[in-house]
Amino acid sequence: MDALQDTNRIMSQATRRRCACGVRLFLVALAFIALGLNLSCRRSHDPESVSGGTAERPVDVGASSTMSAEQLLRETAFVYASAKYYHDSGYVEALCERAEERGVRAYRARCSVAFAKPNYLRLALGEARLTCNGTTMRAQIHNDAYAGQALEIPAPYVVSAIKELYPDPIYAQFADVGVPRNLFWTAPQLILLLAKDPIKTLAPQNAKLTLLQPKRLLRDGERPRLCQRVLISAEDGDRVLWIDNESKALTRCELPTERLMAPEPDARVVALTMEFPEIELQSSAPQDFSEFQFTEEPQRRVERFLAPELDALYKSFPLEALRSLDERDDSPAGLPNLDRNKFNLLCFWSTTDPMRFSAFQTLEELQDSAELQDRFNFLAVDVDSDATSDLYVLAESAAAGLDVPLARLNDQSLVELTANFPQPKSLTFLLLNPEEQVLFYHTSRITSSQLRLPLLRALEGRDLPSESFNAYYDLSRRFVEFMARCDAADLYRDWPDAAATTSIPARSLPRTFDLHEAWRFDGLVAPCNPLAISRSTSFSDGNSVDLVSNSPPTDTTAETDENLLPLASREPLPEEFLVVPCDGNVLVIITTKGRLVRKTTSAAVAGEPITFVRATETPDARRWFLASATLQSRKVCRFNDAFDDLGALDFGRFSGQWVGDARFCDADADGSPELYLSLLAQPSTDGVATRGVYAVDLTEPRMRWKNETLVAPGTIGFTTEEPGRRALIWTSDWNSDESSALACLDPKDGSIVRRVQVSAQETLEAFGASTNVRPGQAELAVLLYSRETSSYSLVGYSSQGEELWRAPAQSTPSDFPLERVSACDLNNDGYDEWMLASPEGTIQFFSGSGELIDSFQYGAEITGATVAHWSGQTYLIVTDLTKVSAWKASARR
């Protein structure tokens, strides 16, 4: 009985427990239903953030990631650095709204990257495109002004720096995705792929990193992505990076809009995001590289991007591309009846251009000017390509009161005759010399008073200064400075899987000389090849002559850019100083203490970077200076002792396209120095017959002799020959089989005295010559590159062409016109040693017998080096991309 009662009691307790459990389950179910209804109601009232087909949804992850924000970014950077292949279809989207309108308007810019190691690339950044197929890197700009141009350079073996993806400042200007440079100056994918420490670039200094609550990111056609979010709080605004939780790929960036200007007036940007859909990150190389191949051939391959007003300068515009429309012309079916001995001012206009009447008025005022009317041909050229009849054009011009000859642009003739000429559009003003070369190109409205100055300068036979050139080189300067700042921000790194990681070592102390930095001068634009001046230095072997017999000094102050005006122009030059040619057509004059004396520009070297400066001295201790630049069409600029611009010596009747080198020397020992120069040309267009070395008598001036048999003359040097110590002229040359050689010329007639042949396995890179060496030592030092061993050697030769010694040398190719081998007196004993400057920063010093006596690591890319003797002291002068520095040398005890 008791057992039965115990059993009933146990069953009753179990039943009660089951009932209680059922009640609890029921209550839990009701709680979940209520929670779902609450979430549903909340979701219906809180709209999702939608942008470009994406949606964000908060996620309750339970426990958030245990890693910090910095650790998450480090892990992301490691994934990108380890990837062999990366691909996305990114874009930047700005949402703008106006107060008077409802809704927002979206603006997008391309920001997509595809990269396969080691050197396959496909970039689309704004209007800029860059493709590298492993062999060639091609940059293009999708803009009407640069249509058809393609900049091509050899592909780097390993893409290891963001700098390599910006080959041109104009390209960098168009590689703009609409994001302020203080946020991301380049695509953040490239920062993660190539920066040495991406966090230093993504997060500004003193920025705070915070890990936010994860969210799911929904895009059309993609599965939801769970993303970790990192908040970067900085002074210029907050950034939020969305990082895929699985792949650790950066898939979205939210950027601040406080300092962003809207693309339309009366509008404001309410949201700025960078989206990276379709991301692929692979740890192995792709099997197919077809996406990196070139899809079409460009119309033109260029060495740098040039706007039409720059691209047209010094090119030929054939008047045969025009046909007459003027009833007063004697040749209505062909070329207008123009005086071929005059300059030509062409005004291209269209019947649909509302500014055409102001252009007609400008032409009328210039034609009626007494100082211009008998010396210029004025021509109005219609560029309409539609069905507008010639009669309508005549009626239009008659209504405008146009009293200048009319012509029509013959499109087909222009295409055939000027394939590389930018297409003139309305309104365009074109100034041609009698040889039909373009001296001035302007593509917008201009007044007659503004046009008068270039017209008068053309009549004076002087090159025209171009504001566009100054603007171009100002952009180049700012681009170089910006890349230098990015370098300081630790943007570059070498790939960890590269064969050999290279880095520039710190400055090292020499073995023979103590070098201490005496001073430096910063803020220059690509200075190169400095010239040290000392009153004790003789620049010629004999008496000189007045180089300005027919060229009185002229004041060019009013005709130069404000940034290039002479500084303290009335201050006399000191006894000793330094002349530094710079990019942007500037000569900078600095004292021996590093103080700026003057900054001047030459109107004769219009906008091109000056590459070297030479000097000679008259018997009365007056000096004359000569400067030349690349692509200057056979012109060298002259300066007197006060560096007043004396105009240019024009060698237009000679062969060649630009001056390779120019030096003064009394090589024929007649008591008067001559000017010896080499002229070069582009092999692809002009062949080998347009090069040569020329001797110019400066008294008239006139050409004494020329030698056009030299295939590729570059640097010019001088040695002596016993008896009488007659000077010999040396220059580099090439044989018919394209092997390197040195050619020695007789100063009397320019005939080749002897030729020093280089072996077929070597290439002559540079050479230097000296007339102040110890007896029996080398008068020539030649830098040779071995194609078999991929190494450099410095080889000493006598004036008879005998090889005296050979020493291993350190050097690399240079993109600058660096004079790498030079003779210099290091210990001030009256005899020269040899200095070899390598672009990567190493300077080596060799004795006259070929012994390496010293080396110096500058620690930056070198663009020029020389040795100066000032006040009994020896200085090493070095220039890099932004500055010039002087290092005082003293022998070690």
Side-chain angles (χ1 to χ4, degrees):
M1 187 67 180
D2 293 336
L4 181 60
Q5 290 178 353
D6 293 338
T7 302
N8 291 335
R9 186 172 61 253
I10 293 173
M11 293 179 62
S12 177
Q13 291 175 356
T15 302
R16 285 196 299 270
R17 283 195 297 268
R18 285 195 298 269
C19 293
C21 183
V23 171
R24 285 196 296 270
L25 289 175
F26 179 72
L27 293 176
V28 171
L30 288 178
F32 273 109
I33 294 173
L35 179 61
L37 291 174
N38 186 31
L39 289 176
S40 177
C41 294
R42 185 177 304 174
R43 191 175 293 115
S44 64
H45 289 87
D46 296 340
E48 301 169 350
S49 174
V50 179
S51 174
T54 65
E56 327 165 351
R57 293 189 179 180
V59 176
D60 185 7
V61 184
S64 60
S65 175
T66 58
M67 67 176 60
S68 65
E70 183 174 354
Q71 289 174 336
L72 179 60
L73 291 181
R74 295 283 181 195
E75 185 175 348
T76 300
F78 176 78
V79 170
Y80 275 77
S82 304
K84 299 291 186 181
Y85 174 76
Y86 174 85
H87 168 86
D88 68 38
S89 56
Y91 59 89
V92 177
E93 184 176 73
L95 299 181
C96 303
E97 69 174 8
R98 290 183 176 179
E100 66 276 8
E101 296 180 357
R102 289 180 174 268
V104 295
R105 181 176 299 180
Y107 296 87
R108 288 189 178 184
R110 290 285 300 278
C111 183
S112 63
V113 173
F115 180 34
K117 292 183 180 180
N119 59 353
Y120 290 87
L121 280 164
R122 182 183 53 77
L123 307 182
L125 304 177
E127 295 182 272
R129 302 291 185 269
L130 185 73
T131 305
C132 183
N133 61 4
T135 304
T136 303
M137 182 177 289
R138 176 186 294 176
Q140 292 177 287
I141 298 175
H142 287 197
N143 184 277
D144 290 342
Y146 303 89
Q149 297 186 34
L151 188 151
E152 291 189 355
I153 58 177
Y157 293 110
V158 177
V159 177
S160 59
I162 297 179
K163 181 180 180 179
E164 296 172 344
L165 310 183
Y166 288 82
D168 183 85
I170 299 293
Y171 171 88
Q173 185 181 31
F174 281 88
D176 186 0
V177 294
V179 176
R181 293 292 174 90
N182 62 297
L183 301 178
F184 296 129
W185 77 271
T186 188
Q189 318 99 297
L190 297 177
I191 296 174
L192 289 168
L193 289 167
L194 296 174
K196 182 178 181 180
D197 191 345
I199 297 181
K200 290 185 178 180
T201 304
L202 296 174
Q205 190 175 7
N206 300 324
K208 181 181 179 181
L209 303 180
T210 306
L211 199 62
L212 302 179
Q213 181 185 9
K215 285 188 177 182
R216 292 192 183 277
L217 187 61
L218 302 180
R219 288 195 180 100
D220 296 339
E222 293 186 7
R223 63 178 179 84
R225 293 173 180 261
L226 176 60
C227 296
Q228 301 287 343
R229 298 186 302 148
V230 177
L231 171 64
I232 303 176
S233 301
E235 295 181 357
D236 54 1
D238 295 340
R239 309 137 165 88
V240 179
L241 308 184
W242 293 57
I243 299 174
D244 188 274
N245 194 55
E246 295 181 7
S247 64
K248 294 300 182 288
L250 178 65
T251 186
R252 189 183 197 190
C253 299
E254 296 175 354
L255 305 177
T257 61
E258 289 80 7
R259 303 183 184 182
L260 191 61
M261 183 178 296
E264 293 185 2
D266 303 328
R268 68 185 185 93
V269 180
V270 296
L272 179 65
T273 59
M274 305 182 76
E275 303 283 351
F276 308 111
E278 302 179 10
I279 292 179
E280 292 185 44
L281 267 171
Q282 299 178 9
S283 58
S284 60
Q287 299 296 325
D288 184 13
F289 292 91
S290 59
E291 66 173 308
F292 302 103
Q293 302 306 313
F294 301 144
T295 57
E296 59 183 10
E297 290 299 317
Q299 298 177 7
R300 295 177 54 200
R301 289 175 172 84
V302 297
E303 296 181 357
R304 62 183 179 183
F305 289 108
L306 292 178
E309 59 270 19
L310 295 175
D311 196 16
L313 292 182
Y314 303 108
K315 291 185 177 180
S316 295
F317 182 93
L319 295 178
E320 285 78 6
L322 309 175
R323 64 184 182 89
S324 177
L325 290 180
D326 201 328
E327 295 178 345
R328 299 162 294 180
D329 200 340
D330 296 334
S331 54
L335 181 69
N337 190 15
L338 303 177
D339 188 344
R340 288 305 188 95
N341 296 320
K342 293 183 179 180
F343 288 82
N344 303 279
L345 180 63
L346 312 180
C347 174
F348 296 89
W349 61 284
S350 171
T351 55
T352 59
D353 193 336
M355 304 303 298
R356 61 189 183 278
F357 295 108
S358 64
F360 295 159
Q361 183 179 1
T362 298
L363 287 180
E364 292 285 356
E365 293 174 355
L366 292 173
Q367 185 175 247
D368 294 340
S369 174
E371 57 185 348
L372 299 176
Q373 60 183 355
D374 294 331
R375 310 179 73 176
F376 280 86
N377 295 317
F378 297 92
L379 193 65
V381 183
D382 177 46
V383 297
D384 289 328
S385 58
D386 55 13
T388 304
S389 66
D390 295 348
L391 294 178
Y392 181 82
V393 174
L394 293 172
E396 178 79 8
S397 60
L402 183 62
D403 191 26
V404 296
L406 291 172
R408 167 66 63 83
L409 179 63
N410 188 331
D411 295 334
Q412 185 60 35
S413 297
L414 184 62
V415 170
E416 293 176 355
L417 297 175
T418 59
N420 292 328
F421 197 89
Q423 185 78 3
K425 300 178 180 178
S426 181
L427 288 168
T428 298
F429 289 88
L430 209 63
L431 176 60
L432 309 177
N433 60 15
E435 290 76 28
E436 301 180 4
Q437 289 181 322
V438 178
L439 302 181
F440 184 78
Y441 192 104
H442 189 80
T443 56
S444 61
R445 180 182 178 183
I446 188 172
T447 64
S448 57
S449 59
Q450 292 172 326
L451 263 176
R452 191 180 305 273
L453 179 60
L455 298 184
L456 292 176
R457 290 177 62 87
L459 293 177
E460 295 172 2
R462 305 180 61 187
D463 285 347
L464 303 178
S466 172
E467 295 179 1
S468 300
F469 262 122
N470 290 332
Y472 176 86
Y473 284 105
D474 180 64
L475 175 63
S476 299
R477 174 185 60 80
R478 290 186 281 111
F479 176 68
V480 171
E481 293 175 352
F482 180 72
M483 297 304 293
R485 291 196 301 271
C486 294
D487 195 3
D490 230 359
L491 268 179
Y492 311 141
R493 71 168 176 82
D494 293 313
W495 286 111
D497 56 351
T501 301
T502 59
S503 61
I504 297 178
R507 291 184 174 94
S508 58
L509 292 177
R511 296 187 300 271
T512 307
F513 299 96
D514 281 323
L515 288 176
H516 303 282
E517 189 173 22
W519 52 263
R520 67 172 59 185
F521 188 88
D522 291 290
L524 300 179
V525 186
C528 65
N529 301 327
L531 175 66
I533 303 299
S534 174
R535 282 294 177 186
S536 61
T537 303
S538 177
F539 293 100
S540 61
D541 296 331
N543 297 328
S544 185
V545 293
D546 192 340
L547 301 183
V548 290
S549 56
N550 297 317
S551 302
T554 56
D555 184 11
T556 60
T557 300
E559 302 168 347
T560 57
D561 188 271
E562 292 182 358
N563 295 325
L564 307 177
L565 292 179
L567 304 178
S569 57
R570 297 300 95 192
E571 179 182 352
L573 291 178
E575 294 292 310
E576 300 170 331
F577 56 92
L578 186 71
V579 185
V580 184
C582 297
D583 200 346
N585 188 26
V586 176
L587 288 175
V588 177
I589 304 173
I590 304 174
T591 68
T592 59
K593 302 297 182 181
R595 183 178 63 87
L596 177 66
V597 176
R598 189 172 306 167
K599 186 192 320 183
T600 184
T601 183
S602 165
V605 189
E608 288 286 349
I610 301 175
T611 56
F612 61 80
V613 181
R614 310 295 185 210
T616 189
E617 192 171 89
T618 61
D620 57 358
R622 289 191 305 163
R623 289 195 180 89
W624 306 99
F625 298 89
L626 176 147
S628 184
T630 57
L631 305 180
Q632 267 306 295
S633 187
R634 300 155 299 209
K635 289 183 174 63
V636 290
C637 182
R638 301 171 296 169
F639 301 90
N640 61 13
D641 205 2
F643 272 88
D644 296 321
D645 181 12
L646 304 176
L649 289 174
D650 188 349
F651 304 98
R653 63 184 181 276
F654 298 169
S655 298
Q657 284 189 331
W658 69 85
V659 177
D661 195 3
R663 295 181 186 269
F664 297 107
C665 184
D666 184 13
D668 56 2
D670 65 349
S672 176
E674 294 78 37
L675 174 64
Y676 297 89
L677 72 155
S678 61
L679 295 177
L680 305 177
Q682 296 178 355
S684 60
T685 57
D686 299 281
V688 299
T690 56
R691 301 169 175 83
V693 172
Y694 303 84
V696 181
D697 190 340
L698 298 174
T699 56
E700 299 187 12
R702 65 181 180 85
M703 182 174 62
R704 284 195 170 186
W705 52 257
K706 62 180 179 179
N707 187 323
E708 294 181 308
T709 64
L710 301 169
V711 179
T715 304
I716 294 177
F718 303 94
T719 64
T720 57
E721 185 179 46
E722 299 293 347
R725 297 187 61 82
R726 184 182 64 146
L728 296 176
I729 305 167
W730 290 86
T731 183
S732 55
D733 191 20
W734 294 79
N735 292 334
S736 58
D737 58 354
E738 298 185 355
S739 59
S740 305
L742 277 176
C744 179
L745 307 181
D746 191 320
K748 292 183 178 180
D749 54 10
S751 60
I752 297 179
V753 176
R754 66 181 62 93
R755 187 186 300 271
V756 178
Q757 184 64 47
V758 176
S759 67
Q761 290 76 30
E762 293 179 317
T763 303
L764 193 156
E765 297 289 330
F767 83 94
S770 174
T771 58
N772 299 312
V773 298
R774 295 182 184 275
Q777 292 190 344
E779 296 179 86
L780 296 165
V782 183
L783 180 64
L784 299 179
Y785 173 74
S786 173
R787 293 188 292 272
E788 289 185 340
T789 62
S790 299
S791 61
Y792 289 87
S793 300
L794 190 67
V795 183
Y797 290 93
S798 68
S799 61
Q800 301 299 318
E802 178 187 1
E803 181 177 331
L804 301 179
W805 50 261
R806 180 180 292 252
Q810 182 174 347
S811 187
T812 57
S814 176
D815 294 331
F816 291 88
L818 171 64
E819 297 178 351
R820 288 189 274 182
V821 182
S822 58
C824 56
D825 186 2
L826 295 174
N827 51 13
N828 212 8
D829 63 351
Y831 295 103
D832 285 339
E833 288 77 33
W834 299 103
M835 180 174 65
L836 174 63
S838 179
E840 43 70 50
T842 300
I843 301 177
Q844 295 177 288
F845 302 96
F846 296 84
S847 67
S849 58
E851 177 188 0
L852 178 62
I853 59 176
D854 212 334
S855 64
F856 175 64
Q857 174 53 242
Y858 180 69
E861 186 173 0
I862 292 178
T863 58
T866 190
V867 171
H869 299 284
W870 293 326
S871 302
Q873 300 291 332
T874 302
Y875 293 86
L876 172 64
I877 310 297
V878 184
T879 58
D880 56 36
L881 292 174
T882 60
K883 65 181 178 295
V884 55
S885 58
W887 299 74
K888 188 176 180 180
S890 58
R892 285 190 172 183
R893 296 181 178 178

